[in-house]
């Protein structure tokens, strides 16, 4: 497995080197990945769209970079690949793509899928594809989390810090409360005026995915996320 990884592009040697600490589990994990990739029913384009979005949500740049090439092969344009790591409103997605991205955002953050969104998914996908969507999201999240926690870098590449600082404009806040629901460790809601308050201006990196979701869900655009370096730059 390690010998084959040399021929499979940058980053694979360290990836498989990490998995090789548990050969039996590695075999099962990669077998599932092969089923999703080669025997899946979602289709290549849908699969790569979900993988890229989950990787972005879980702040896994290696996984996102690794899937850019297969995403392009599956038919995603460069603009679409870039847009998987941005606000969905920044790109003219089709209705189906937007539905898949919305589902990926919620599933990656372990937030229940509302009935309306599930109904839209059920109209676009067959029953076996709905099941596959959930398993694919979970498998991708497992990969992202494992590599992030173990700090597995791409070959010959130092791991990238992922610290974010949060800027909150309380004057723009419309008291929707989505941010509190997404990251209660970082946001609270003032009992006097209902507006959001910021509890932790520089949260731990483990909250990165939820912070991005909170910023995207904020209807008034009151939340801005910047890197720590940008926040302290004069």
């Amino acid at each position: 497995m390690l010998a084959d990884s040399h021929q499979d592009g940058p980053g694979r040697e360290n990836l498989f080197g990490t998995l090789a600490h548990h050969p039996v589990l590695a075999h099962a994990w990669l077998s599932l990945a092969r089923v999703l990739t080669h025997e899946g029913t979602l289709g290549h384009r849908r699969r790569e769209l979900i993988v890229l979005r989950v990787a972005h949500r879980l702040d896994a740049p290696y996984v996102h970079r690794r899937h850019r090439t297969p995403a392009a092969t599956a038919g995603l344009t460069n603009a679409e690949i870039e847009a998987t790591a941005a606000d969905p409103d920044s790109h003219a997605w089709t209705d189906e793509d937007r539905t898949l991205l919305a589902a990926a955002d919620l599933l990656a953050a372990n937030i229940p899928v509302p009935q309306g969104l599930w109904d839209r998914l059920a109209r676009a996908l067959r029953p076996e594809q709905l099941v596959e969507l959930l398993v694919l999201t979970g498998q991708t999240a497992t990969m992202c989390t494992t590599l992030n926690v173990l700090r597995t870098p791409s070959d010959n590449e130092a791991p990238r810090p992922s610290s974010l600082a949060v800027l909150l404009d309380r004057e723009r806040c419309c008291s929707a409360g989505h941010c509190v629901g997404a990251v209660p460790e970082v946001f609270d809601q003032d009992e006097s005026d209902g507006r959001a308050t910021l509890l932790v201006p520089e949260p731990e990196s483990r909250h990165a995915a939820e912070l991005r979701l909170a910023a995207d869900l904020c209807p008034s655009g009151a939340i801005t996320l910047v890197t720590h370096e940008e926040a302290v730059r004069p």
Side-chain angles (χ1 to χ4, degrees), residues 98-181:
R98 191 173 290 274
T99 296
L100 291 172
L101 291 170
D105 285 351
L106 296 176
L107 293 170
N110 196 29
I111 297 176
V113 176
Q115 188 62 48
L117 177 56
W118 184 259
D119 290 342
R120 294 199 299 277
L121 287 168
R123 286 194 293 270
L125 304 176
R126 301 190 303 274
E128 71 272 19
Q129 292 175 323
L130 289 170
V131 174
E132 187 176 319
L133 169 66
L134 302 179
V135 175
L136 172 65
T137 305
Q139 194 268 353
T140 304
T142 300
M143 176 65 74
C144 293
T145 301
T146 300
L147 297 180
N148 280 352
V149 171
L150 295 179
R151 299 182 176 87
T152 300
S154 299
D155 300 341
N156 302 318
E157 180 179 317
R160 189 191 72 173
S162 59
S163 59
L164 290 174
V166 183
L167 305 179
L168 174 65
D169 186 345
R170 294 195 76 247
E171 295 302 317
R172 296 183 62 178
C173 177
C174 63
S175 306
H178 297 317
C179 59
V180 180

Side-chain angles (χ1 to χ4, degrees), residues 71-93:
T73 302
L76 285 163
T77 66
N78 287 336
E80 288 173 331
I81 292 172
E82 294 296 335
T84 60
D87 185 334
D89 291 333
S90 67
H91 183 78
W93 294 106

Side-chain angles (χ1 to χ4, degrees), residues 17 31 36 40 72 161 185 212 214:
S31 295
L36 292 171
E185 300 88 349
R212 290 194 177 94

